[in-house]
Amino acid sequence: MDKLKRVLSGRDAEEPSGLAEVIDATSLGWGTRVKGFVACFAIGCLCSLLGSCLLWVPKKGLILFAVFYTLGNIASIGSTLFLMGPMKQLKRMFEPTRLIATIVMLLCLILTLCSAFWWRKEGLALLFCIFQFFALAWYSISFIPFARDAVKKCFLVCLS
């Protein structure tokens, strides 16, 4: 468990320095981080579920779905900030191995909200929500070693 804590907090192979001691003194404890992660992730799941229920509301249902689904995904992504910390999360998001997945995911989040509020195109908002789902899934599996390769191979086997 200590190894997991060190890896997630970014102190896997580093020797403690003066700066690390200051950061440790002012940062959240491991238990608080896990509680924050669970709470933020639960809020994200709740928003996504609420958005799915609001999909069937007449007239404004699709717009409400797009908004709540996007907010749910943002909260779910934000939940990992509690485990890793904001700077490490941002560094890992923009590593070369997941740069494209991050950009596509963030672009889908933005385009979903743009299509719901500014362009007022419900069909486009639904399409971007679907893209958002796949982009977030692809982004998420980039944190699991060899998961992308496994998904690609499974997809190729299913096609042949």
Side-chain angles (χ1 to χ4, degrees):
M1 187 59 120
D2 290 333
K3 174 75 173 166
L4 179 63
K5 289 179 188 177
R6 284 194 311 273
V7 168
L8 288 175
S9 65
R11 292 177 274 140
D12 188 28
E14 297 176 9
E15 291 294 319
S17 65
L19 179 61
E21 291 175 17
V22 170
I23 291 172
D24 285 341
T26 58
S27 66
L28 300 173
W30 182 250
T32 307
R33 286 177 183 241
V34 171
K35 290 174 188 171
F37 166 77
V38 170
C40 200
F41 190 77
I43 289 169
C45 291
L46 183 66
C47 283
S48 295
L49 183 64
L50 180 62
S52 297
C53 293
L54 292 173
L55 180 61
W56 308 112
V57 172
K59 301 271 183 190
K60 299 287 184 182
L62 193 56
I63 292 173
L64 290 172
F65 165 72
V67 170
F68 278 98
Y69 187 76
T70 301
L71 290 176
N73 283 339
I74 291 170
S76 296
I77 293 167
S79 67
T80 59
L81 294 174
F82 285 100
L83 294 179
M84 289 189 240
M87 292 310 295
K88 182 164 183 174
Q89 174 70 14
L90 286 173
K91 286 179 186 174
R92 292 191 71 189
M93 282 177 74
F94 292 100
E95 287 176 349
T97 56
R98 62 183 62 92
L99 179 64
I100 294 173
T102 300
I103 291 170
V104 170
M105 179 198 56
L106 293 174
L107 191 62
C108 287
L109 292 172
I110 292 166
L111 289 174
T112 301
L113 293 175
C114 286
S115 62
F117 286 120
W118 286 285
W119 304 326
R120 302 207 185 273
K121 303 282 185 182
E122 289 88 6
L124 198 57
L126 184 60
L127 182 67
F128 284 131
C129 281
I130 293 167
F131 288 161
Q132 198 179 126
F133 171 79
F134 287 113
L136 186 62
W138 191 251
Y139 167 79
S140 297
I141 65 171
S142 74
F143 286 94
I144 303 169
F146 306 110
R148 285 181 172 177
D149 294 333
V151 169
K152 287 178 190 175
K153 287 179 183 176
C154 287
F155 188 69
L156 290 174
V157 167
C158 289
L159 288 178
S160 56

